Amino acid sequence: MAANVKENEEREKNVLVWRNKMEKSKKGEILRELRKLSVQVVALEREKTTHLYSKRSEFRHDFSVLEELDSKLTGDIKSEQVKVKQQLEKISHMVKRFHKELKDVKPTPEFVEKLKVIMEEIEGTITSFKENQRKQYEELIRDERMTYQEIQAMERKFDAWSQLAEKPDNKSKTPAAPLASARDITKDLPPQVAAFEKFLEETGGIRGGWDEYDHGTFLKFRNRYKGKIIFIKHALVAIPTKTEEEIRDHEEWYQTYLSMNEKKKESIKKWREKKEGEKEEVLSKVESELAEDQQKEEQKQQRLKEQIQEEKRQRFSQLNAWKVQKELERAQAEERKLREALDKAQKEEDRKKEKAELKQKVENYKKEREEEEKFLEEQKKVWEEEEKERHRQNSAREIHRFRDRDQRKIQEKLAKEKEKENEKIQKQKRLDRLREQVDIEVDRDPSRLLKPTAGWTSRLKDKGPSGSGPVIQMPHRAIPSWRQGMT
């Protein structure tokens, strides 16, 4: 089981390494693409500011509305960036908290449930964030499609205007060109708009061939008299360059201009309504496509979610098995350490006991040695006193006798030591047998090491008063027989 867990961990580790490499490569490509797009955006922004929003531009007033809209959209983008950054920081904080919890794994149901709750919170937050982003991206895609269609319509309109602008030159070169241009305009524009544009082109523009001052004076008097025919006489005085017949012709032209202009406005209104209908149709089509895409995405998300849940269950089972195995190994290690500590403590106790017994034996041996030395000294003193009391002729015999006695004492001592050694061995054997039968527990008394021994206590009791009285006899070594005559 441990081998399988280890093999699974190794396989997961290799998979994670491969995924990290792939993610790093994809991330690098995305970052390079983003940097490239950022450079392009900066260049476009600079070009837009230079050509459209510049204070020196003569079209600044026309683009002021676009500048305000651009400023508003820029603010919305910045606020959206801040919002997305906050959401990402929240998700990052939750993931870091989950990793922190994994550092101290506890094989308990409560801990596993806590990890499960944290993972569900992280998953819910990420899913909600992805869903919001998906909706925003779908809205942006829909707006992009609408904008693209509007741009295409405007391009067609610009092409028609360019064809209309090229018409005078074609007219001067070839007479048949205006008819072809008119047919092209009629084909691309509504009939009323094409007729109005053709009328303006044929009659000299929006002032009917008059200059701005004469036409402005004509409109001033006409508006003052609310279009009554009497205004012609007053306008004739104010416009000395024009005759009454020319003013009447200009009035007829202006009425035709107003009539065709109204028809043009109505036609444009109908065209806009038609375009709105087409726009709604396109929107409905786009919404249906987005709904289908959303349904497919939801199915994909559902399958991915089921796959993630299955992977989670497998990881949880492997994690539980790994936790149980680790807990078992830790319990075995703790039991082994405890057993080693107990063995070490028992060995230390035995060593202390052996040390105490050895110390006691050393003390006993020292005591016996001191007693023996004391006895030997006393015997030596007696022997020296007797040797002095005897005559010199008996010195050799006495020395031989003392030597025999010393030899006997030594033999007795050796026999006694051997007997003590035998008793010691027998005693040790009995103690070993008793120790095997009975587990003796002795209370520890560290203060006993600092107390005087029984021998030392008895020695202090037997010690008499010391004084400086006269020395009766000083012991000395015996004089050999071969030196006795030399003294």
Side-chain angles (χ1 to χ4, degrees), residues 37 173 392 472:
L37 293 175
K173 293 180 181 179
R392 292 181 180 274
I472 300 175

Side-chain angles (χ1 to χ4, degrees), residues 240-459:
T241 58
K242 301 296 180 182
T243 63
E244 182 177 356
E245 185 178 356
E246 288 176 345
I247 294 174
R248 290 182 183 276
D249 292 339
H250 194 69
E251 169 65 15
E252 292 177 0
W253 171 87
Y254 188 69
Q255 290 179 1
T256 306
Y257 169 81
L258 293 177
S259 176
M260 295 184 72
N261 192 21
E262 288 295 328
K263 292 179 180 180
K264 173 193 170 183
K265 290 180 179 179
E266 292 179 0
S267 178
I268 291 174
K269 183 178 179 182
K270 291 179 181 180
W271 179 80
R272 286 180 178 175
E273 291 176 354
K274 182 180 178 182
K275 289 295 181 180
E276 289 292 331
E278 293 177 356
K279 185 177 179 181
E280 292 294 331
E281 184 179 354
V282 171
L283 281 176
S284 62
K285 185 177 179 181
V286 171
E287 288 177 355
S288 62
E289 292 177 358
L290 289 176
E292 292 178 0
D293 295 341
Q294 184 177 1
Q295 186 176 2
K296 292 179 181 178
E297 185 68 23
E298 288 177 355
Q299 293 176 357
K300 184 178 178 181
Q301 291 289 338
Q302 184 66 24
R303 289 195 298 270
L304 181 61
K305 190 173 182 181
E306 292 175 357
Q307 184 179 357
I308 292 173
Q309 291 293 337
E310 182 64 25
E311 187 176 354
K312 280 183 182 179
R313 285 193 292 269
Q314 293 179 0
R315 287 186 179 179
F316 268 119
S317 61
Q318 293 176 1
L319 180 62
N320 290 330
W322 177 79
K323 288 177 182 176
V324 171
Q325 182 66 23
K326 287 295 182 181
E327 187 65 21
L328 181 61
E329 291 177 359
R330 187 173 64 180
Q332 291 176 354
E334 290 180 354
E335 183 180 359
R336 185 169 56 254
K337 288 181 181 179
L338 181 60
R339 191 181 300 110
E340 291 176 357
L342 291 175
D343 294 341
K344 186 177 180 181
Q346 185 66 33
K347 289 179 181 179
E348 185 68 20
E349 188 68 23
D350 295 341
R351 188 182 65 80
K352 289 183 179 179
K353 288 181 180 179
E354 291 177 359
K355 186 176 180 181
E357 292 176 358
L358 182 62
K359 186 175 181 180
Q360 185 65 32
K361 290 177 183 179
V362 171
E363 292 292 336
N364 294 335
Y365 176 75
K366 286 174 67 177
K367 184 178 179 181
E368 293 176 358
R369 184 70 181 270
E370 289 175 357
E371 291 177 355
E372 184 180 356
E373 289 177 355
K374 186 177 179 181
F375 173 75
L376 291 175
E377 288 177 359
E378 290 176 355
Q379 291 295 326
K380 185 177 180 181
K381 288 179 181 180
V382 172
W383 179 76
E384 288 177 354
E385 290 176 357
E386 291 176 354
E387 185 67 22
K388 286 180 181 181
E389 291 176 356
R390 292 181 180 88
H391 299 291
R392 292 181 180 274
Q393 62 271 16
N394 296 327
S395 60
R397 188 176 66 251
E398 292 296 330
I399 290 172
H400 182 69
R401 186 173 62 83
F402 279 119
R403 285 179 180 175
D404 292 340
R405 188 183 63 181
D406 290 340
Q407 188 68 27
R408 189 174 61 254
K409 290 290 185 183
I410 291 171
Q411 291 177 357
E412 290 176 356
K413 179 183 177 184
L414 292 174
K416 187 176 180 182
E417 288 180 354
K418 185 175 182 180
E419 183 179 358
K420 287 182 178 179
E421 186 68 24
N422 292 331
E423 289 178 357
K424 178 181 177 183
I425 293 171
Q426 295 296 328
K427 183 178 179 181
Q428 184 65 31
K429 289 181 179 180
R430 289 195 301 274
L431 288 174
D432 292 337
R433 286 195 298 272
L434 291 173
R435 191 178 294 111
E436 292 176 357
Q437 296 175 2
V438 181
D439 186 9
I440 301 174
E441 294 183 359
V442 180
D443 297 335
R444 297 181 62 185
D445 186 10
S447 63
R448 183 167 58 87
L449 295 174
L450 303 177
K451 294 180 180 180
T453 61
W456 182 255
T457 305
S458 62
R459 185 175 180 182

